[in-house]
Amino acid sequence: MLKFFVRLLLTMAALKGADICLDNFNLNKGFLSLLIFSLILGIVNWIIKPILVFFSIPLIVLSIGLFYLCINALILYVTSLIMPGELTATAWGIFWGSILMSFFHWLLTVIFRSREKN
């Protein structure tokens, strides 16, 4: 259960980091709304993303994995449709926001895993 809350906080921090770094990627509301948005994003990642990845394997292989970035952006867009008003972003904002969010999430995960080992 603790692992779930840590991953949720990492996702929230990654979303906020993308919000701070990009002008055309804006999270509009407060902490509770960000928490709910992160929960919905996690559920969408868990349910829809494996299906999208499975059906787009040929595109992922042909693009040498770059189409996976489009899938991440699509997942973020679907989440913003489920919770309207929370994320205001252009198409490029969602694309670059998903890339930055993935990078920040990876970086924070590496930092927290290295602290667990020590």
Side-chain angles (χ1 to χ4, degrees):
M1 192 70 165
L2 180 64
K3 196 175 195 179
F4 169 75
F5 287 116
V6 169
R7 289 186 57 88
L8 182 64
L9 289 174
L10 291 178
T11 302
M12 290 173 63
L15 273 168
K16 197 60 181 171
D19 177 33
I20 291 169
C21 290
L22 294 172
D23 291 333
N24 54 0
F25 184 89
N26 299 313
L27 296 166
N28 297 325
K29 299 178 184 170
F31 178 79
L32 184 62
S33 182
L34 180 62
L35 177 72
I36 295 169
F37 190 82
S38 297
L39 278 171
I40 293 172
L41 181 64
I43 292 168
V44 170
N45 264 330
W46 182 54
I47 296 172
I48 297 175
K49 192 172 185 178
I51 297 167
L52 286 175
V53 169
F54 177 75
F55 285 114
S56 62
I57 287 174
L59 288 173
I60 293 171
V61 170
L62 286 175
S63 67
I64 314 168
L66 292 177
F67 190 73
Y68 197 75
L69 299 174
C70 296
I71 292 174
N72 283 342
L74 183 64
I75 292 297
L76 193 57
Y77 177 69
V78 167
T79 305
S80 71
L81 289 178
I82 293 171
M83 192 173 175
E86 171 60 27
L87 178 65
T88 305
T90 63
W92 284 111
I94 288 177
F95 180 75
W96 289 109
S98 69
I99 291 173
L100 273 176
M101 195 185 110
S102 297
F103 174 73
F104 289 145
H105 198 280
W106 169 79
L107 184 66
L108 291 169
T109 302
V110 167
I111 290 170
F112 279 97
R113 281 194 183 152
S114 69
R115 287 189 180 181
E116 285 179 2
K117 291 179 183 178
N118 292 335

